[in-house]
Amino acid sequence: MAENVTIIGSGPAGLTAALYTARANLNPLLISGNEFGGQIALTNEVENYPGFPDGITGPELTELMKQQAEKFGARFESDHVSRVDLQTHPFVLETENGARHETNSVVIATGASPRRLGVPGEIELTGRGVSYCATCDGFFFRGKKVAVIGGGDSALQEGLFLTRFAAQVYVVHRRNQLRAQPILQARAQENPKINFVWDSVVQDIQGDGAVSALNLVHVRTGDPSQLPVEGVFVYIGHIPNTQLFVGQLDMDDEGYLKVNERLHTKIPGVFAAGEAHDHIFKQAIVSAGFGSMAAMEVEKFLADLEHSGYPTAGKIFA
Ligand code: NAP
């Protein structure tokens, strides 16, 4: 029998959609992806999620959200959706572990993944000094010099975290103005372990088996320089995880799903929540809010489906 609703992704959007649809008695299935919790689970300190005045770690927040959804009957599967057929109804989802799910509605909460620099040495040295997760790998750089690439909230927040371990943290930014929020800028500027390298981009990452230096270029003068570091943490934004839906759903040039104000994609019964469509706010609390909105729309869709059948008369959102 087809599921009422299947949620793809286990970040704040997916977990909140699971909580709301579970409390609506819809017995949701959540397929979590390979890494439970999404990006927030890789964040060391979450200080701006309401209800936690002393902050909370990303993994703890994720675990609490999961427990809350489970309490009301949400089911979780640790698997990765590898193929979807949204042209038929019920929709069909197939997974890497060989499962095949039929489902009357879908919430796409697949989030986004870190953008790569795309320079020589990056792929070869990933896991050997190149990292996209300070929370996961910072510990290995005790007493060492590391670089953080980027000038946004992630770069500064994770750069500050790295000062707990590293001897020196260089923040390499392509401009001379940071994008990060003022409170993080102030903390980073006050921290004696943080040095800024302005107007510079990485040309390649050097290292024989492990990172030893970055070759940089000054964007205005073109002057090359070398920065000896043993770790490189890349925080230059994200790419939405929407490749699964290419050809079936509409997306913008960057791959963010197109939805209407009620989070409907162009296919009735398929909703998106979180960073798979949100290219503006990208906050855990916003994603959680989108998860609750999508869940409420799922409820309405399933009630209509029960009474009137699947809407074949056209798209809800074109
Ligand atoms: P972001 O805000 O998009 O910042 C990306 C940074 O990387 C920018 O400084 C950008 O430079 C730089 N960059 C982009 N492409 C680059 C390239 N090819 N080479 C070198 N530098 C490059 O991404 P984010 O910091 O990951 O943040 C994503 C979202 O999550 C934001 O909305 C942020 O507010 C939010 N966030 C919030 C918190 C918090 O509230 N504590 C923590 C983390 C993230 P330019 O500035 O020149 O464009």
Side-chain angles (χ1 to χ4, degrees), residues 208-276:
D208 186 9
V211 169
S212 57
L214 290 181
N215 281 326
L216 305 176
V217 175
H218 195 280
V219 292
R220 288 187 227 229
T221 62
D223 288 344
S225 63
Q226 195 169 70
L227 188 65
V229 288
E230 290 175 70
V232 188
F233 290 83
V234 181
Y235 287 107
I236 59 167
H238 298 91
I239 296 173
N241 297 321
T242 55
Q243 299 80 349
L244 202 52
F245 310 101
V246 169
Q248 299 194 57
L249 296 176
D250 290 343
M251 39 190 90
D252 69 12
D253 293 346
E254 290 184 73
Y256 289 94
L257 292 172
K258 288 190 179 174
V259 292
N260 69 4
E261 72 279 6
R262 290 170 170 258
L263 307 184
H264 297 226
T265 67
K266 72 174 185 181
I267 297 182
V270 180
F271 305 88
E275 292 192 24

Side-chain angles (χ1 to χ4, degrees), residues 39 43 45 47-48 115-117 149-155 157-158 172-175 177-181 184 200-202 235-238 275 280-283:
Q39 294 177 72
T43 305
E45 193 80 45
E47 286 185 332
N48 54 6
R115 188 188 298 281
R116 291 180 191 275
L117 282 167
I149 316 301
D153 284 339
S154 299
Q157 181 165 309
E158 303 305 321
V172 178
H173 185 33
R174 65 183 177 181
R175 294 188 290 142
Q177 267 189 324
L178 296 165
R179 183 180 289 278
Q181 50 187 292
L184 288 174
S200 298
V201 292
V202 179
Y235 287 107
I236 59 167
H238 298 91
E275 292 192 24
I280 300 173
F281 298 105
K282 296 171 179 285
Q283 301 289 306

